[in-house]
Amino acid sequence: MARWRWGAMVSLPEELRAREAAARQRVEELQAEAAELALRLERAREDLSRLEITRETVTEVLAELSASGTDAELDVPTEHMSGHEETSAPHGVGVMVVPPWREGLVTAVLPDVYRDIVEVIADAPGPLQAKQIVPRIGLPTTTGKIEGTRGKLKRLVERGWLDEDAPGRFGLARRGPGADRANSR
């Protein structure tokens, strides 16, 4: 039994063999892609595992340093950090998110939003209010964001990173981070 195809006679068995060969080739291509994806997935899992272990270790170290009040330096030069590698200090159960300030401690140990707040205040010519800080750290100026930022400012004051010069007006702690910058203005 023959059938007409594109102006030539092709038998059904030949057509089936051609389709089978094409399907087999597609299966082989997909198997190769799946093997490559499996390899990439395994590498990504290994990277994730290393990062999780690193985060857990840093969390433990920060918790121990915070609990002991040790004077060990945690000086992490910011010029070695770029983009999203500048991640926050770990947020773990039983870990102080904002460690108390002490000599030698740098803002790199703070979670991102706290570090942003301290940097905004350090760059300001004088004390700022929460409503002035919120847009400078990229948040919408809604009541909730302002109040949340005010809470963070109060926490930074409690931990010695900032001073509240007048009610609701925050500046760098005179003995804290950037004191030399603040005094040199």
Side-chain angles (χ1 to χ4, degrees):
M1 177 157 134
R3 115 178 181 199
W4 184 260
R5 181 175 163 190
W6 299 302
M9 293 287 286
V10 177
S11 71
L12 185 55
E14 288 173 0
E15 179 66 22
L16 289 174
R17 275 192 291 279
R19 289 183 182 201
E20 182 182 347
R24 183 173 289 111
Q25 181 179 357
R26 185 67 183 139
V27 165
E28 290 171 1
E29 290 169 357
L30 289 172
Q31 285 175 330
E33 286 179 37
E36 174 62 26
L37 284 175
L39 182 61
R40 289 174 51 198
L41 176 61
E42 184 58 32
R43 287 181 189 149
R45 284 183 175 148
E46 289 171 5
D47 289 345
L48 175 60
S49 177
R50 282 195 305 273
L51 289 169
E52 288 172 339
I53 291 167
T54 301
R55 179 186 44 76
E56 290 168 0
T57 302
V58 169
T59 298
E60 291 172 13
V61 169
L62 286 176
E64 290 170 9
L65 289 175
S66 182
S68 70
T70 183
D71 289 334
E73 286 193 23
L74 292 178
D75 192 8
V76 180
T78 54
E79 65 268 10
H80 297 319
M81 302 173 101
S82 64
H84 293 292
E85 293 170 14
E86 274 189 50
T87 58
S88 63
H91 301 159
V93 176
V95 175
M96 285 188 139
V97 175
V98 178
W101 182 86
R102 62 185 175 275
E103 191 65 39
L105 200 59
V106 296
T107 58
V109 301
L110 294 173
D112 291 342
V113 70
Y114 288 89
R115 184 172 50 241
D116 292 345
I117 289 170
V118 171
E119 289 172 357
V120 164
I121 290 174
D123 291 339
L128 295 174
Q129 296 177 314
K131 67 182 178 184
Q132 296 170 301
I133 295 169
V134 167
R136 294 179 186 182
I137 60 174
L139 297 174
T141 53
T142 62
T143 303
K145 297 299 182 187
I146 293 170
E147 291 306 314
T149 300
R150 184 172 288 114
K152 288 175 180 61
L153 288 161
K154 297 280 189 180
R155 187 167 297 114
L156 286 164
V157 169
E158 290 170 7
R159 305 283 165 79
W161 292 88
L162 300 178
D163 284 334
E164 190 172 6
D165 298 334
R169 299 190 58 80
F170 300 89
L172 284 177
R174 284 165 191 78
R175 69 179 193 305
D180 296 334
R181 275 174 75 181
N183 293 336
S184 67
R185 289 182 187 206

